[in-house]
Amino acid sequence: MSDLTLKVLSISDAVPAWAGPAFEVSCASQAASARQFDAVVFHAPDDTALDALLRRADLQQAAFDSAVVVVAPTAELGAELALLKQGVQDIVRGLDNAAMGRLLWHAVERT
């Protein structure tokens, strides 16, 4: 990790809207390379994606290797607690660039 830029792996098909100069973002469909990044961001845009995320084989390993944050606009408390038990640092509903930057820095510092 450099002093000013976080290396972030976004588990999505496209660079997320919050990506900006504070992040060096790479996109992938799997988190196998999580240890090469400061943080990993999983995206669960709906309840179906959130259920699938809870069953992903690579989620716990990613949380062991890196700070993991989940963007889940529809997450209910039960799902959030299940994610936290798997090592996820934070679950957010969606943030602007500055807020996401602060959240990711905090997640990285906690790991």
Side-chain angles (χ1 to χ4, degrees), residues 19-36:
F23 311 111
E24 181 182 315
V25 179
S26 298
C27 296
S29 61
Q30 300 294 318
S33 61
R35 71 173 33 139
Q36 298 171 17

Side-chain angles (χ1 to χ4, degrees), residues 52-64:
L53 176 59
L54 286 165
R55 293 188 305 275
R56 282 186 73 122
D58 59 353
L59 179 61
Q60 282 186 320
Q61 186 62 47
F64 180 77

Side-chain angles (χ1 to χ4, degrees), residues 12-75:
S12 62
D13 295 333
V15 174
W18 49 260
F23 311 111
E24 181 182 315
V25 179
S26 298
C27 296
S29 61
Q30 300 294 318
S33 61
R35 71 173 33 139
Q36 298 171 17
F37 294 86
D38 300 313
V40 177
V41 178
F42 286 89
H43 302 267
D46 55 36
D47 290 336
T48 302
L50 186 58
D51 289 340
L53 176 59
L54 286 165
R55 293 188 305 275
R56 282 186 73 122
D58 59 353
L59 179 61
Q60 282 186 320
Q61 186 62 47
F64 180 77
D65 292 337
S66 185
V68 172
V69 171
V70 173
V71 178
T74 63

